Amino acid sequence: MKPADVEQLFATLRSANPHPASELQYSSVFELLTAVLLSAQATDAGVNRATRRLFAQAPTPQAMLELGEEALCEHIRSIGLYRTKAKHLVQTCRILVEQHGGVVPRERDALQALPGVGRKTANVVLNVAFGEPTMAVDTHVFRVANRTGLARGDTPEAVEQGLLSVVPDAYAVEAHHWLILHGRYVCTARSPACRVCAISSVCAAFAASGGAATLS
């Protein structure tokens, strides 16, 4: 995608939503980390339903440890892979308490050393909690970046690196939010709403389709 088209894409998305934010509900960095860890292969709405009661009872790593793995499982049973996630979350809380004084670290290596925390989760925490210009590439970002031609790649990390190289600094902190929301609500996997898409004029897939109302 040409630099002028990249600028137009993000200027358009920013104009429509000047202050994008995560749809996960949280009130601390620890709660954000927990919600993102639980969100793998789950919807934000589903995670929010589960964490509403969980965070009221266990809002800190120490409180989560005291709650225990079995009780945690009961809170998050509605979320996919809940047993594995509960195990990872308890292990993560133990590390936070024993090695970081109960505080979520802001260094990538330290974050990714936590059980259940991969690169995408670390990127979300670094971006949302600490304002770092990271690109958290989930399925939505991966799809939109490839489909539009903004940053093509065969893996999430390849797309991440592509985005880091083309997204202008002025949009870098909010970029992944705009792309996630666009993929979630407009550029969906099965039936993208090209007819109402505000960035179709710079979309490679839309151009390749000959301007069809929706992509096949």
Side-chain angles (χ1 to χ4, degrees):
M1 186 178 289
K2 297 177 181 178
D5 292 339
V6 175
E7 172 68 30
Q8 181 180 334
L9 184 151
F10 283 107
T12 300
L13 294 178
R14 182 171 65 181
S15 177
N17 185 3
H19 305 292
S22 171
E23 294 186 325
L24 291 169
Q25 295 172 359
Y26 62 93
S27 58
S28 68
V29 180
F30 171 67
E31 289 184 1
L32 171 66
L33 173 64
T34 298
V36 180
L37 189 155
L38 296 177
S39 70
Q41 300 183 43
T43 65
D44 286 1
V47 172
N48 291 337
R49 284 192 295 271
T51 57
R52 204 165 290 130
R53 287 175 52 249
L54 174 62
F55 290 158
Q57 188 170 348
T60 67
Q62 183 62 49
M64 196 75 75
L65 281 176
E66 293 171 1
L67 179 65
E69 188 173 328
E70 286 305 313
L72 175 56
C73 282
E74 291 303 312
H75 278 282
I76 65 172
R77 185 177 293 273
S78 61
I79 299 174
L81 305 175
Y82 72 94
R83 287 199 176 277
T84 298
K85 291 176 181 179
K87 179 180 179 180
H88 286 163
L89 182 53
V90 168
Q91 292 172 339
T92 283
C93 288
R94 185 168 290 110
I95 292 172
L96 291 177
V97 169
E98 294 178 354
Q99 299 182 21
H100 300 285
V103 176
V104 177
R106 64 179 302 168
E107 296 78 26
R108 177 184 296 282
D109 289 346
L111 284 169
Q112 290 189 224
L114 299 171
V117 177
R119 188 175 183 86
K120 186 196 78 173
T121 298
N123 278 337
V124 173
V125 173
L126 290 170
N127 178 270
V128 176
F130 302 119
E132 299 289 339
T134 57
M135 301 291 167
V137 180
D138 67 355
T139 56
H140 300 299
V141 175
F142 186 82
R143 179 174 62 257
V144 173
N146 274 287
R147 190 177 273 172
T148 61
L150 176 62
R152 290 196 169 102
D154 294 329
T155 66
E157 189 161 353
V159 170
E160 177 188 342
Q161 296 306 314
L163 289 171
L164 289 171
S165 70
V166 301
V167 176
D169 291 345
Y171 305 108
V173 174
E174 292 89 359
H176 95 269
H177 289 296
W178 285 313
L179 296 175
I180 287 172
L181 294 172
H182 191 70
R184 184 173 290 166
Y185 297 112
V186 181
C187 193
T188 56
R190 295 185 179 180
S191 301
C194 301
R195 190 184 300 277
V196 298
C197 177
I199 60 172
S200 61
S201 64
V202 295
C203 174
F206 186 69
S209 74
T214 58
L215 304 178
S216 59

